[in-house]
């Protein structure tokens, strides 16, 4: 507090360049030392907070932070997220949720590069901190449009498995939920027969199901489906609190995919095995959970990226599936957020301070966070 | 024979009898002329040369306006609509444009004849005509003191025109046209029949004023057109209440607008709360928000409204504007 006052006193008298230096040395304005999202409030709005390295490794080691931002965090040698209005809003709502009531669905929407995924990352961090079991899909588009491999499902005839991606996701899930999975109460409620010799017994720990999917990649998709169902049942019984976080959720409803059958026919997302599981956990017919989803035009093909609005992206079916949901808009940077971001870049020595720089960059980027990052990045 | 005699013989001697004949026959016979019959002279001669009749300019009367008394009855001078006539109008009018000098005066001035005039409708004339018509009028009903009452008791407005002019026929083709106007709200409809009625009348309904206007002109007389218009009004109304068999096949996808009660949204909310939507206190405002969102299309405004209503429905804290 004292420092802030002294800075303002200084600022009134000193010339501009020295004032800039003072701002650079006192980092209170654009940074907050509070690294627990549950303590973030509107007073922290537009401030950066640092995600501790161990938490970052646990949460986002297998995705969750967009690639370009991830590169930037490496350059800055720290993972900082800006506390912004949408995630604050969602966290505020989650705090007041009655977990015995049906699941609330939050849908983050906004233009390309406005920070939906990072808002989701912030909420996921909150979920970890508050001990939620996190069912986090870093990017649905990865499955529907850039899947590594596809094959006809053995256990569910007519469906198509994306086993490699499913196994990767199981690893991601396992790492993210290391804090909850040690809980011995999380047992599965039904037998899973994979083949003549392979079987997961009722009453086994949920970790066994995950391990099976990872080691027997052939069944990974079905494991994901089973896992979703089991988590739903466990939450209903009150064994755990779940946070479903899915980025690019509209990918589950966008009819054109790049998943094919063995005859090279295009498969609609509803015929991809994992879809069913994630649609199941985004219904409202369970409790002890919360869903935070994002809809993003990038999850659909280029020719259909006409609007960023949720109903357009989800389609009639998707809208009816989620209705009633809480739409949360992620907008471009406000002036305060923009200044804060530029201050942060200057502190990281990412941009050279120059007079009139902020206004110019604000015009060039249209205050779009992603564009600003690109303009300020190296060649 | 010498050359001279040959030429003389050819030109004079041989032609002589012919010439002589022509000469005699055309010679005016003075003695015969005096008799009972005149002689027809086929060939003119100087003696009976045609004298041209001298052209006499017709006498032009001085303009009538010169003789008009100052206190004359103008209505009698100019009783009906008529093209401008300079000699009849006792006004020093000038009209038109010439590059030099003043505008041309009223005589032989086409500009004055081109424009319509209202010389037959001077205030005293109108007054006189009104006075003459007054004996045919009845007093205005006291019960219809203002426009609202008129509209209430006489919801139908029938507009037709009669024409009166001096021509061989007393019929005017324009007189057959009948226009009927009435307010749509005066008819009793339910939602479906109203929609159907609007589809049937098409652009005859003005959504800004709420009036339906039907113009009939296909029959030759006014009476027939009026009857036809009345038939149309009746037929349209009853047709809009008809329900055809195929209308029952209309599915949700065919709906022209979103009706919350018929949609998944209602079912979801009822399932979510485990009771009927009428019993859920906040369902009304939520339903309105969904209807607006669906019917007006997706915009930041309708979506924000939808979000707010969902928050109220689910009992979540309202969105706070932090910045």
């Amino acid at each position: 507090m004292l420092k802030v006052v002294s800075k303002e006193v200084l600022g009134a008298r000193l010339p501009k360049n020295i004032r800039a230096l003072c701002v650079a040395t006192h980092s209170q304005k654009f940074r907050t030392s509070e690294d627990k999202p549950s303590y973030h409030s509107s007073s922290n709005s537009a401030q950066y907070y640092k995600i501790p390295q161990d938490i970052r490794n646990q949460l986002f080691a297998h995705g969750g932070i967009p690639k370009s931002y991830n590169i930037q965090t490496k350059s800055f040698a720290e993972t900082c997220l800006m506390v912004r209005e949408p995630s604050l809003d969602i966290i505020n709502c989650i705090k007041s949720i009655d977990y015995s009531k049906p699941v609330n669905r939050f849908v983050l929407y906004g233009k390309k590069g406005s920070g939906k995924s990072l808002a989701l990352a912030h909420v996921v961090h909150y979920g970890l901190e508050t001990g939620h079991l996190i069912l986090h899909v870093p990017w649905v588009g990865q499955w529907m449009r850039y899947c590594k491999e596809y094959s006809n499902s053995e256990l569910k005839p007519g469906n198509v498995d994306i086993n490699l991606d499913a196994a990767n996701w199981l690893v991601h899930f396992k790492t993210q939920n290391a804090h909850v999975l040690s809980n011995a109460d999380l047992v599965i409620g039904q037998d899973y027969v994979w083949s003549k010799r392979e079987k997961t017994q009722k009453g086994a720990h949920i970790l066994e199901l995950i391990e099976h999917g990872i080691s027997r990649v052939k069944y990974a998709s079905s494991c994901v489906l089973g896992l979703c169902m089991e988590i739903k049942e466990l939450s209903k019984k009150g064994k755990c609190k779940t946070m479903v976080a899915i980025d690019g959720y509209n990918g589950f409803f966008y009819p054109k995919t790049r998943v094919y059958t063995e005859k090279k026919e295009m498969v609609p997302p509803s015929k991809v095995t994992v879809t069913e599981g994630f649609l199941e956990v985004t219904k409202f017919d369970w409790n002890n959970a919360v869903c935070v989803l994002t809809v993003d035009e990038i999850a659909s093909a280029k020719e259909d990226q006409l609007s960023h609005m949720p109903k357009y992206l989800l389609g009639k079916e998707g809208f009816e599936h989620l209705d009633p949901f809480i739409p949360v808009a992620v907008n471009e940077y406000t002036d305060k957020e923009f200044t804060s971001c530029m201050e942060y870049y200057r502190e990281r020595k990412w941009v050279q301070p120059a007079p009139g720089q902020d206004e110019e960059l604000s015009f060039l980027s249209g205050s779009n966070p992603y564009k600003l990052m690109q303009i300020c990045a190296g060649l | 024979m010498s050359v001279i005699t040959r030429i003389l013989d050819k030109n004079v001697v041989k032609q002589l009898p012919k010439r002589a004949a022509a000469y005699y026959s055309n010679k005016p016979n003075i003695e015969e002329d005096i008799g009972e019959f005149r002689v027809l002279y086929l060939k003119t001669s100087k003696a009976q040369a045609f004298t041209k009749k001298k052209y006499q300019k017709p006498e032009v009367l001085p303009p009538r306006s010169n003789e008009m008394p100052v206190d004359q009855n103008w209505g009698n001078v100019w009783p009906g609509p008529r093209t401008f006539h300079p000699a009849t109008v006792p006004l020093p009018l000038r009209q038109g444009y010439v590059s030099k000098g003043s505008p041309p005066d009223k005589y032989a001035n086409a500009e004055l004849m081109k424009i319509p005039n209202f010389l037959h409708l001077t205030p005293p004339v109108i007054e006189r005509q009104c006075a003459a018509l007054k004996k045919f009028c009845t007093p205005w009903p006291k019960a219809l003191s203002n426009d609202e009452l008129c509209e209430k008791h006489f919801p139908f407005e029938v507009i037709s025109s009669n024409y009166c002019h001096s021509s061989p026929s007393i019929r005017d083709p324009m007189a057959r046209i009948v226009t009927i106007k009435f307010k749509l709200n005066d008819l009793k409809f339910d939602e479906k029949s109203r929609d159907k009625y609007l589809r049937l009348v098409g652009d005859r309904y003005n959504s800004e004023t709420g009036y339906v206007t039907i113009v009939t002109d296909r029959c030759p007389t006014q009476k027939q057109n009026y009857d036809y218009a009345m038939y149309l009004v009746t037929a349209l109304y009853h047709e809009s209440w008809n329900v055809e068999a195929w209308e029952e096949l209309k599915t949700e996808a065919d709906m022209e607008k979103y009706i919350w009660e018929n949609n998944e949204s209602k079912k979801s909310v009822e399932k979510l709360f485990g009771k009927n939507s009428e019993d859920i206190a906040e369902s009304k405002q939520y339903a309105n928000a969904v209807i607006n969102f669906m019917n007006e299309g997706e915009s930041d405004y309708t979506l924000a409204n939808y979000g707010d209503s969902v928050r109220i429905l689910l009992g979540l804290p309202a969105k706070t504007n932090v910045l």
Side-chain angles (χ1 to χ4, degrees):
Chain A
M1 192 63 209
L2 238 173
K3 276 179 186 173
V4 177
V5 172
S6 67
K7 183 185 70 191
E8 275 165 7
V9 171
L10 278 171
R13 288 181 197 158
L14 291 174
K16 230 178 192 175
N17 49 352
I18 300 177
R19 201 158 71 205
L21 266 177
C22 290
V23 173
T25 46
H26 301 284
S27 52
Q28 275 80 2
K29 269 264 165 171
F30 65 92
R31 261 183 197 277
T32 169
S33 55
E34 186 56 72
D35 61 356
K36 286 190 167 56
S38 56
Y39 292 106
H40 288 158
S41 67
S42 51
S43 61
N44 301 110
S45 173
Q47 287 180 329
Y48 278 88
Y49 83 98
K50 191 172 169 180
I51 304 180
Q53 193 58 35
D54 55 329
I55 289 178
R56 191 220 135 98
N57 286 348
Q58 186 190 343
L59 282 179
F60 306 119
H62 301 92
I65 291 180
K67 201 175 164 191
S68 47
Y69 197 80
N70 209 9
I71 294 167
Q72 189 183 270
T73 57
K74 270 181 197 161
S75 317
F76 289 174
E78 60 174 11
T79 310
C80 280
L81 291 183
M82 191 194 278
V83 180
R84 292 186 69 195
E85 202 182 331
S87 45
L88 275 182
D89 186 18
I90 292 178
I91 289 170
N92 183 29
C93 285
I94 294 177
K95 279 177 188 165
S96 68
I97 278 178
D98 177 0
Y99 277 93
S100 64
K101 281 190 176 167
V103 173
N104 291 331
R105 281 81 50 87
F106 297 88
V107 175
L108 287 158
Y109 71 96
K111 290 183 182 145
K112 283 182 202 170
S114 54
K116 299 177 287 294
S117 301
L118 290 177
L120 188 71
H122 188 185
V123 177
V124 167
H125 185 189
Y126 170 80
L128 175 81
E129 192 205 330
T130 44
H132 284 82
L133 179 79
I134 300 166
L135 206 64
H136 176 221
V137 181
W139 183 235
V140 175
Q142 171 68 34
W143 295 347
M144 298 301 163
R145 304 200 63 77
Y146 299 99
C147 64
K148 291 202 175 75
E149 166 263 357
Y150 39 80
S151 56
N152 286 2
S153 177
E154 272 182 29
L155 296 166
K156 282 200 149 212
N159 276 17
V160 172
D161 285 350
I162 43 168
N163 288 326
L164 280 180
D165 290 287
N168 277 347
W169 182 79
L170 286 171
V171 174
H172 173 72
F173 178 80
K174 200 179 144 192
T175 1
Q176 261 191 340
N177 293 295
H179 62 296
V180 194
L181 289 175
S182 51
N183 186 349
D185 282 347
L186 302 179
V187 290
I188 54 180
Q190 66 173 96
D191 285 347
Y192 286 91
V193 182
W194 307 110
S195 66
K196 267 183 191 171
R197 288 175 216 91
E198 288 165 301
K199 193 176 169 190
T200 309
Q201 293 279 357
K202 180 183 175 182
H205 195 265
I206 203 164
L207 212 49
E208 268 183 49
L209 189 68
I210 300 166
E211 289 296 349
H212 182 81
I214 296 169
S215 54
R216 294 284 288 133
V217 175
K218 192 178 171 187
Y219 304 116
S221 282
S222 304
C223 276
V224 171
L225 178 56
L227 181 66
C228 289
M229 298 304 195
E230 289 302 329
I231 288 171
K232 198 169 172 177
E233 286 306 313
L234 287 169
S235 298
K236 271 188 196 171
K237 285 176 196 158
K239 297 277 169 60
C240 61
K241 248 189 334 182
T242 310
M243 172 183 280
V244 181
I246 301 177
D247 199 353
Y249 182 72
N250 52 318
F252 288 131
F253 294 99
Y254 182 64
K256 298 178 205 163
T257 63
R258 290 192 193 141
V259 183
Y260 302 97
T261 59
E262 275 162 15
K263 289 178 186 164
K264 302 294 168 202
E265 290 159 333
M266 193 169 75
V267 183
S270 55
K271 287 277 175 192
V272 180
T273 316
V274 288
T275 307
E276 195 191 327
F278 289 103
L279 291 193
E280 203 54 46
V281 290
T282 47
K283 284 182 184 167
F284 58 76
D285 57 350
W286 56 312
N287 48 20
N288 270 328
V290 60
C291 290
V292 185
L293 317 165
T294 73
V295 288
D296 198 323
E297 27 185 341
I298 308 170
S300 40
K302 199 114 192 165
E303 66 265 22
D304 291 320
Q305 299 182 358
L306 303 176
S307 162
H308 64 276
M309 301 302 261
K311 187 171 156 265
Y312 168 78
L313 291 171
L314 290 165
K316 187 174 186 290
E317 195 194 342
F319 184 84
E320 280 173 1
H321 182 86
L322 287 184
D323 184 65
F325 64 86
I326 301 115
V328 181
V330 184
N331 295 322
E332 264 80 32
Y333 278 150
T334 58
D335 288 348
K336 191 180 168 193
E337 285 169 338
F338 187 86
T339 321
S340 166
C341 179
M342 289 311 297
E343 296 283 331
Y344 178 61
Y345 282 171
R346 281 192 278 270
E347 188 232 28
R348 291 282 108 190
K349 308 267 190 287
W350 195 237
V351 291
Q352 289 281 324
Q357 182 182 44
D358 284 13
E359 292 89 72
E360 190 179 340
L361 285 172
S362 166
F363 276 119
L364 279 176
S365 61
S367 290
N368 181 297
Y370 177 73
K371 277 186 190 150
L372 178 67
M373 182 172 79
Q374 285 217 310
I375 292 171
C376 294
L379 291 171
Chain B
M1 254 193 326
S2 66
V3 175
I4 297 167
T5 51
R6 257 188 294 150
I7 294 171
L8 194 74
D9 182 60
K10 186 186 173 188
N11 286 342
V12 179
V13 180
K14 282 184 181 171
Q15 299 280 331
L16 201 64
K18 275 186 193 172
R19 285 183 175 236
Y23 179 71
Y24 288 118
S25 63
N26 280 322
K27 189 189 166 196
N29 193 338
I30 311 297
E31 295 95 288
E32 273 175 18
D33 209 27
I34 300 159
E36 193 180 348
F37 298 104
R38 284 189 298 156
V39 177
L40 174 65
Y41 302 115
L42 291 174
K43 215 163 187 190
T44 52
S45 64
K46 276 206 173 152
Q48 44 102 224
F50 174 75
T51 51
K52 212 175 178 184
K53 200 181 174 188
K54 207 174 180 194
Y55 173 71
Q56 278 193 330
K57 249 188 169 180
E59 195 189 351
V60 179
L61 289 169
R64 189 182 157 196
S65 57
N66 289 358
E67 289 159 22
M68 286 176 175
V70 215
D71 57 346
Q72 70 173 341
N73 188 341
W74 174 249
N76 295 344
V77 179
W78 199 279
R82 195 193 159 189
T83 313
F84 180 80
H85 195 283
T88 316
V89 182
L91 301 170
L93 297 173
R94 285 176 176 276
Q95 174 82 29
Y97 171 78
V98 283
S99 56
K100 276 178 187 171
S102 55
D105 70 353
K106 61 180 177 176
Y107 292 99
N109 191 337
E111 295 301 320
L112 275 171
M113 291 158 79
K114 274 192 267 181
I115 53 169
N117 65 60
F118 288 96
L119 292 167
H120 61 295
L121 287 178
T122 52
V125 170
I126 294 174
E127 206 170 281
R128 206 167 62 205
Q129 286 176 354
C130 286
L133 284 173
K134 200 154 192 179
K135 61 172 174 282
F136 301 112
C137 298
T138 52
W140 186 258
K142 282 195 182 103
L144 303 175
S145 53
N146 56 27
D147 284 354
E148 283 80 50
L149 284 172
C150 290
E151 264 176 29
K152 192 189 159 202
H153 293 295
F154 296 95
F156 267 64
E157 195 179 332
V158 183
I159 304 163
S160 58
S161 307
N162 289 312
Y163 296 84
C164 173
H165 48 76
S166 56
S167 72
S169 164
I170 57 163
R171 317 254 172 248
D172 189 296
M174 304 270 275
R176 80 188 193 289
I177 301 169
V178 175
T179 307
I180 281 188
K181 275 171 87 176
F182 56 93
K183 277 207 162 157
L184 186 69
N185 289 347
D186 291 336
L187 298 178
K188 287 188 181 64
F189 285 122
D190 67 359
E191 201 157 312
K192 190 172 181 177
S193 59
R194 187 187 159 92
D195 174 57
K196 202 166 174 185
Y197 191 86
L198 290 182
R199 282 161 192 268
L200 288 171
V201 295
D203 59 0
R204 289 174 193 86
Y205 174 65
N206 184 347
S207 56
E208 280 169 22
T209 58
Y211 271 101
V212 179
T213 311
I214 293 173
V215 182
T216 46
D217 59 355
R218 59 172 58 186
C219 304
T221 66
Q222 195 178 86
K223 170 86 169 55
Q224 288 168 333
N225 275 318
Y226 173 78
D227 289 345
Y228 179 57
M230 284 303 159
Y231 159 74
L232 281 181
V233 171
T234 319
L236 280 171
Y237 182 72
H238 289 288
E239 188 55 41
S240 66
W241 277 95
N242 276 355
V243 180
E244 302 289 339
W246 47 263
E247 283 180 56
E248 303 302 328
L249 304 174
K250 193 176 181 184
T251 59
E252 196 50 48
D254 303 320
M255 290 294 177
E256 47 287 310
K257 60 181 184 183
Y258 185 89
I259 300 161
W260 188 70
E261 280 75 17
N262 304 346
N263 269 284
E264 280 298 312
S265 182
K266 189 192 175 194
K267 287 180 202 159
S268 302
V269 170
E270 289 185 342
K271 211 173 149 197
L272 186 75
F273 285 91
K275 48 187 175 183
N276 273 339
S277 60
E278 291 82 29
D279 305 334
I280 307 163
E282 290 85 11
S283 72
K284 188 85 189 154
Q285 52 89 24
Y286 167 71
N288 286 339
V290 178
I291 290 167
N292 273 345
F293 179 66
M294 290 299 197
N295 288 339
E296 285 171 28
E298 205 173 14
S299 67
D300 285 325
Y301 175 72
T302 51
L303 191 59
N305 267 354
Y306 171 76
D308 291 343
S309 71
V310 173
R311 279 170 204 250
I312 296 170
L313 182 76
L314 301 175
L316 291 173
K319 189 175 186 302
T320 46
N321 252 338
V322 211
L323 298 172

